[in-house]
Amino acid sequence: MKSFKLLSILILISNVSYSIQMDIGIIRNARIKHVLFETNFGKHTIVSGEFVKSIEQGEQIKIQYHNDSVRLKIGERSLGHFDTVYFYPKYDDNIFKITCLSPSLKSRKYYTQLKVFSSNGQLTLVNQIDLERYLIGVLESEVGPNESKDFYKVHAVISRTYALKNKYKFSHEGFHLTDLVNCQVYKGKMYKNKNIIDAVKETKNLVLVDDQMNYITASYFSNSGGQTVNVEDVWLKPLPYLRSIEDPYSRGTYNYKWEKRISKDKWISYLKRKHNYPINDPNAIDDACNFKQPKRTKYFINWKYHILLTEIRTDWKLKSTFFSVYDDGEYIILKGKGFGHGVGLSQEGAMQMVKLGYGFLEVLRFYYTDVHLINLQMRDFYLSD
């Protein structure tokens, strides 16, 4: 009887409508002073305190930063100054268009609603949108429109997990996540590929968790170069599910190899200036110009110099930390593998696995060690038990 009751509860939970709103700070790559809002499909209502105004499809509203407030105008007629303004849709599938006038940027379209307030001498725009609909825009922005549905399913799960794990990353700025690479790239309503929409729907509410039902850090990057990285070799905290693994699926793909040619004098000068490297020692100079990395390591040459490969990557704007150094007379040549930080899932490796016939669950299990795929409702049920 107990097991039947539990089964009934689980079935009931799985059928409950589950919706999570995300507040996404949009167009965060610019200091916005003046934008044009237009209801592109459906109707919106402007609300700020007791102020209420309906907007018909095609109607345009000027939104301006002015004296630490939000000024609204129709044409040259002012509607007033406000602290925070909401543009509520009549229905969730209503679409609005934002055109940045200062600075001048290409227009973008978004689903659902917009929140606007002033902060730090500029406008802050927040797209308030359901998580699942947000993910469709993320997948097209992060991956592009031409991949397989199974790969999109992989990415839907990790992007959903990432969004929920980091949901309050920018709460101090008045939204959950940005639309930039410091979170996940999101360019609004694009939706040119039905596979993306179907992949998000078919994985709805599925996330990756650890043994304590905590969302994992679902990090991903472009290409591992044939081996991923232990998380503590890039960031500070070791995690049991982000371990270095051999990754044959990333080999031979687009971002598998790279090279960079550097003046030997500049290379040695950099090591001395930044890392106090012993440039008067001939053996040390030979090591610096002939460093080999057949397997990924944490330090340049060895640990005693305390030169992190992550620092060299940042300073020289390298594609990865997985490189070897070759002496070429007056120059040194960095011959590298992979593109990105190397922690977690390799996108190009995952694409190759799917092409070879692996399912999205097998791809996730390959790149993340000992994690669990679970429905959000089920996670909440277990946590509340």
Side-chain angles (χ1 to χ4, degrees), residues 145-159:
N146 301 313
E147 300 302 328
S148 67
K149 185 167 74 171
D150 251 21
F151 176 71
Y152 287 132
K153 289 168 79 170
V154 169
H155 223 293
V157 172
I158 60 177
S159 291

Side-chain angles (χ1 to χ4, degrees), residues 114-214:
L114 178 71
K115 174 183 177 181
V116 184
F117 59 91
S118 65
S119 177
N120 299 319
Q122 65 186 57
L123 295 175
T124 294
L125 309 181
V126 182
N127 183 199
Q128 299 181 305
I129 186 169
D130 175 74
L131 171 62
E132 300 299 310
R133 185 165 269 159
Y134 159 69
L135 289 174
I136 297 172
V138 167
L139 263 60
E140 185 147 308
S141 302
E142 283 279 356
V143 182
N146 301 313
E147 300 302 328
S148 67
K149 185 167 74 171
D150 251 21
F151 176 71
Y152 287 132
K153 289 168 79 170
V154 169
H155 223 293
V157 172
I158 60 177
S159 291
R160 184 182 295 109
T161 305
Y162 179 94
L164 293 174
K165 171 78 171 180
N166 296 279
K167 187 176 180 183
Y168 300 104
K169 187 175 181 179
F170 286 89
S171 58
H172 60 288
E173 294 190 33
F175 45 84
H176 295 141
L177 301 169
T178 76
D179 61 348
L180 306 178
V181 293
N182 60 354
C183 293
Q184 299 184 102
V185 179
Y186 170 65
K187 298 178 181 177
K189 179 192 175 294
M190 301 170 73
Y191 308 3
K192 298 174 183 176
N193 188 326
K194 188 176 183 295
N195 275 342
I196 294 177
I197 300 171
D198 289 344
V200 172
K201 287 180 179 177
E202 291 173 23
T203 63
K204 184 176 181 180
N205 294 334
L206 294 181
V207 292
L208 294 170
V209 297
D210 61 18
D211 289 338
Q212 285 73 48
M213 292 292 157
N214 297 314

Side-chain angles (χ1 to χ4, degrees), residues 69-341:
S69 68
V70 179
R71 180 166 66 185
L72 302 181
K73 297 174 73 176
I74 296 179
E76 295 306 312
R77 178 168 65 89
S78 176
L79 300 179
H81 293 71
F82 309 93
D83 291 327
T84 303
V85 180
Y86 295 88
F87 293 79
Y88 291 117
K90 185 173 182 180
Y91 301 107
D92 282 347
D93 64 349
N94 289 174
I95 301 165
F96 64 88
K97 181 169 73 173
I98 291 292
T99 305
C100 282
L101 302 179
S102 177
S104 177
L105 298 171
K106 186 177 179 180
S107 297
R108 288 186 185 177
K109 295 178 182 179
Y110 298 88
Y111 273 116
T112 317
Q113 69 190 47
L114 178 71
K115 174 183 177 181
V116 184
F117 59 91
S118 65
S119 177
N120 299 319
Q122 65 186 57
L123 295 175
T124 294
L125 309 181
V126 182
N127 183 199
Q128 299 181 305
I129 186 169
D130 175 74
L131 171 62
E132 300 299 310
R133 185 165 269 159
Y134 159 69
L135 289 174
I136 297 172
V138 167
L139 263 60
E140 185 147 308
S141 302
E142 283 279 356
V143 182
N146 301 313
E147 300 302 328
S148 67
K149 185 167 74 171
D150 251 21
F151 176 71
Y152 287 132
K153 289 168 79 170
V154 169
H155 223 293
V157 172
I158 60 177
S159 291
R160 184 182 295 109
T161 305
Y162 179 94
L164 293 174
K165 171 78 171 180
N166 296 279
K167 187 176 180 183
Y168 300 104
K169 187 175 181 179
F170 286 89
S171 58
H172 60 288
E173 294 190 33
F175 45 84
H176 295 141
L177 301 169
T178 76
D179 61 348
L180 306 178
V181 293
N182 60 354
C183 293
Q184 299 184 102
V185 179
Y186 170 65
K187 298 178 181 177
K189 179 192 175 294
M190 301 170 73
Y191 308 3
K192 298 174 183 176
N193 188 326
K194 188 176 183 295
N195 275 342
I196 294 177
I197 300 171
D198 289 344
V200 172
K201 287 180 179 177
E202 291 173 23
T203 63
K204 184 176 181 180
N205 294 334
L206 294 181
V207 292
L208 294 170
V209 297
D210 61 18
D211 289 338
Q212 285 73 48
M213 292 292 157
N214 297 314
Y215 300 120
I216 73 163
T217 300
S219 57
Y220 57 90
F221 56 95
S222 178
N223 186 296
S224 73
Q227 183 185 356
T228 66
V229 186
N230 287 323
V231 63
E232 64 270 25
D233 290 348
V234 177
W235 301 310
L236 293 177
K237 183 181 177 182
L239 294 167
Y241 50 81
L242 292 177
R243 312 318 302 155
S244 176
I245 60 168
E246 292 290 328
D247 176 20
Y249 307 106
S250 289
R251 295 183 184 131
T253 53
Y254 184 75
N255 283 305
Y256 174 53
K257 287 187 177 181
W258 56 269
E259 285 191 12
K260 189 177 182 75
R261 188 178 179 88
I262 301 172
S263 161
K264 187 185 292 184
D265 288 342
K266 287 184 179 180
W267 179 244
I268 294 170
S269 175
Y270 158 77
L271 292 173
K272 171 63 177 175
R273 182 184 72 256
K274 181 71 183 282
H275 302 288
N276 198 29
Y277 193 75
I279 63 173
N280 294 322
D281 181 346
N283 291 327
I285 292 297
D286 186 63
D287 289 342
C289 297
N290 293 280
F291 167 65
K292 299 299 178 286
Q293 192 180 180
K295 299 289 184 182
R296 282 188 181 268
T297 60
K298 184 175 182 178
Y299 295 101
F300 179 63
I301 302 177
N302 58 52
W303 64 270
K304 73 177 182 180
Y305 294 111
H306 300 290
I307 302 174
L308 292 169
L309 288 167
T310 51
E311 289 190 33
I312 293 179
R313 182 193 174 207
T314 299
D315 293 341
W316 289 93
K317 296 180 174 57
L318 306 179
K319 287 188 173 183
S320 73
T321 61
F322 197 5
F323 63 86
S324 296
V325 183
Y326 294 84
D327 193 334
D328 190 34
E330 296 181 2
Y331 294 88
I332 56 104
I333 299 174
L334 306 185
K335 294 186 178 182
K337 299 176 182 178
F339 190 1
H341 51 66

